[in-house]
Amino acid sequence: MKILLVGAGLSGAVIGRQLAEAGHDCRIIDSRPHIGGNCHTERDPETGVMLHLYGPHIFHTDDEGVWSYVNRFAEFVPYRNRVKTTSQGAVYSLPVNLHTINQFFGKTLRPDEARAFIESRADRSIAEPQSFEEQALRFVGPELYEAFFKGYTEKQWGCSPRELPASILKRLPLRFNYDDNYFFHRFQGMPRAGYTAMIEGILDHPRISVALETPYRPEMAEQADHLFWSGPLDGFFDYSLGRLGYRTLDFERFTYQGDYQGCAVMNYGDREVPWTRITEHKHFSPWESHEGSTCYREYSRAAGPGDIPYYPIRLVEEKSLLAQYVDLARAQERVTFVGRLGTYRYLDMDVTIREALDTAGVFLGTLSAGAQMPQFSQLPL
Ligand code: FAD
Ligand code: UDP
């Protein structure tokens, strides 16, 4: 079969590879001048530092299948994401852990004492937190919420944490020990040569051809038996029902001689500081040494037409518009919508790869079984 895949990010690359290995001819197009989608990495010509051009990417997963898949295409160096945050004139460790609690409240609590102390600050009248704010008040209490989450979240999402779902905060652990690892997962690492080199390896197959700087045009689909779409869901339909909301990011690059902040990610909890965080990219590759340093100040705002869509905003009005687009998508017989943009979800890389492997598997199974494609079956509305 002739397969057209729109998007040379992880979704397009992994599905393309699976189908190519099964004997299908895959043409992958991307409007950008590089492969890798938002995981793209490249060296800064000025400092030599490996840059995560679309924001910091740390690979973390519990999925052994995905871990062995990525290790087929890249050498991973163990990496722990240890985030710091500046708030009210002091620097703390994130996620909130025993060190953060003791430092913030000027105490020397042991784990059980800290647990009881935080519980005493928490609003126990909130039985089932619905919003981000309720989740924070119930589990960390007002002081830590104000210092670390309220201002940051207002900047990141452009709305009150009262309007956001509790699930966003649930992504972050709260620890009553001195573990400052940002993630829980068993496998965590950074590809030594960058993500783009890894994706280059995935795409390196004689049945895969890649065309960059090639935006999708509907007539391209006519030459293909099936289309996998990892671009924006509403974009496929020419935004005919309106635009799904996204946050976009602006990165303000600056360089420094030496070590600017001593860590890879420094968050800024105060509402008055306009950026959400500063990333210093050489710390994502601690096995390298560079005199110069490249940093990004990161700002978040509502995405307009022409901006890169980063974070889907899944508030009430988006959900009803999304439901309408999903109906349109379900009616497409020869198109499968995949990935972060194609299914309008926040997806980590490991989940993206898992879904891409599964989607390809179902597609290949379908070819022999003649069953229907289950596109959107995993899409929670
Ligand atoms: P994308 O990478 O967005 O690829 C889609 C591609 O489609 C793009 O290259 C785009 O140019 C192309 N395209 C779109 N429309 C068209 C069109 N009309 N014609 C042609 N091409 C088109 N995950 C983690 O696991 N760990 C992290 O630390 C992490 N950090 C992140 C930080 C940020 C700021 C963001 C936004 C995401 C982060 N992620 C992280 C998630 C990760 O970026 C995604 O899981 C991954 O990029 C999804 O891959 P994808 O192929 O689905 O989408
Ligand atoms: N968050 C916060 N303060 C921080 C870091 C995170 O309030 O210092 C909130 C913010 O709303 C963010 C959410 O917690 O969207 C989830 O954090 P995560 O690090 O997963 O954010 P992402 O990777 O989505 O940027």
Side-chain angles (χ1 to χ4, degrees), residues 7 10-11 30-31 37-38 56-58 216 340 347-349 352:
L10 273 177
S11 297
D30 204 301
S31 42
N38 278 3
H57 279 70
I58 295 100
Y216 173 74
R340 209 174 61 81
L347 295 181
D348 274 326
M349 291 182 279
T352 302

Side-chain angles (χ1 to χ4, degrees), residues 57 184 282 295 341 351:
H57 279 70
F184 294 104
K282 68 181 177 183
C295 302
L341 302 168
V351 181

Side-chain angles (χ1 to χ4, degrees), residues 40-329:
H40 175 57
T41 45
E42 68 181 39
R43 286 209 182 271
D44 187 328
E46 187 185 340
T47 60
V49 169
M50 185 65 89
L51 299 178
H52 296 206
L53 243 79
Y54 301 92
H57 279 70
I58 295 100
F59 200 91
H60 53 99
T61 190
D62 274 334
D63 187 327
E64 269 178 58
V66 167
W67 184 239
S68 67
Y69 184 83
V70 292
N71 277 276
R72 229 179 104 189
F73 299 103
E75 182 202 342
F76 272 78
V77 182
Y79 184 88
R80 295 289 175 268
N81 195 25
R82 297 204 160 87
V83 177
K84 301 284 175 275
T85 184
T86 298
S87 172
Q88 302 166 3
V91 176
Y92 301 91
S93 162
L94 267 193
V96 172
N97 60 41
L98 193 48
H99 202 177
T100 322
I101 295 167
N102 276 332
Q103 185 191 352
F104 186 82
F105 291 102
K107 292 188 180 292
T108 56
L109 302 171
R110 293 183 296 106
D112 291 347
E113 294 167 339
R115 200 180 288 275
F117 176 73
I118 292 297
E119 188 63 15
S120 77
R121 319 297 312 160
D123 183 345
R124 276 176 281 180
S125 71
I126 303 169
E128 291 204 8
Q130 298 301 315
S131 67
F132 185 110
E133 180 165 283
E134 285 183 357
Q135 176 77 13
L137 293 175
R138 173 63 190 89
F139 290 102
V140 302
E143 297 89 350
L144 295 174
Y145 168 55
E146 294 278 340
F148 301 129
F149 301 111
K150 189 166 186 285
Y152 186 99
T153 296
E154 285 168 0
K155 291 188 282 186
Q156 172 76 3
W157 293 98
C159 64
S160 159
R162 278 191 287 275
E163 296 168 50
L164 293 167
S167 56
I168 296 183
L169 184 55
K170 286 183 192 160
R171 297 213 285 258
L172 296 186
L174 165 64
R175 297 214 179 93
F176 295 102
N177 57 30
Y178 289 97
D179 182 358
D180 61 352
N181 186 348
Y182 204 70
F183 303 116
F184 294 104
H185 291 125
R186 249 186 323 154
F187 309 110
Q188 303 181 28
M190 201 63 90
R192 188 183 287 281
Y195 291 100
T196 297
M198 174 179 90
I199 295 169
E200 220 165 68
I202 298 174
L203 292 169
D204 182 17
H205 189 282
R207 288 193 182 276
I208 296 180
S209 66
V210 179
L212 297 176
E213 296 182 274
T214 308
Y216 173 74
R217 284 177 284 108
E219 56 270 28
M220 292 173 174
E222 287 158 22
Q223 287 132 42
D225 298 305
H226 198 89
L227 172 66
F228 286 87
W229 177 266
S230 71
L233 172 60
D234 49 357
F236 183 81
F237 300 102
D238 235 352
Y239 308 98
S240 55
L241 304 174
R243 281 181 180 266
L244 291 166
Y246 274 98
R247 301 292 288 172
T248 191
L249 300 174
D250 295 318
F251 298 104
E252 191 177 270
R253 175 189 176 279
F254 63 96
T255 55
Y256 185 80
Q257 268 314 105
D259 190 356
Y260 177 72
Q261 61 183 17
C263 64
V265 182
M266 175 66 77
N267 289 358
Y268 286 83
D270 299 331
R271 186 70 190 88
E272 303 70 51
V273 177
W275 52 87
T276 51
R277 57 184 176 180
I278 297 179
T279 46
E280 184 166 16
H281 289 238
K282 68 181 177 183
H283 295 302
F284 292 122
S285 312
W287 58 91
E288 296 184 359
S289 65
H290 301 276
E291 282 302 308
S293 192
T294 310
C295 302
Y296 283 179
R297 249 181 232 112
E298 192 171 319
Y299 302 80
S300 170
R301 63 177 168 83
D307 288 325
I308 298 176
Y310 281 96
Y311 294 98
I313 310 171
R314 292 176 141 258
L315 299 180
V316 181
E317 61 262 42
E318 268 80 22
K319 283 192 178 175
S320 76
L321 184 57
L322 175 60
Q324 295 174 48
Y325 275 119
V326 167
D327 283 345
L328 287 182

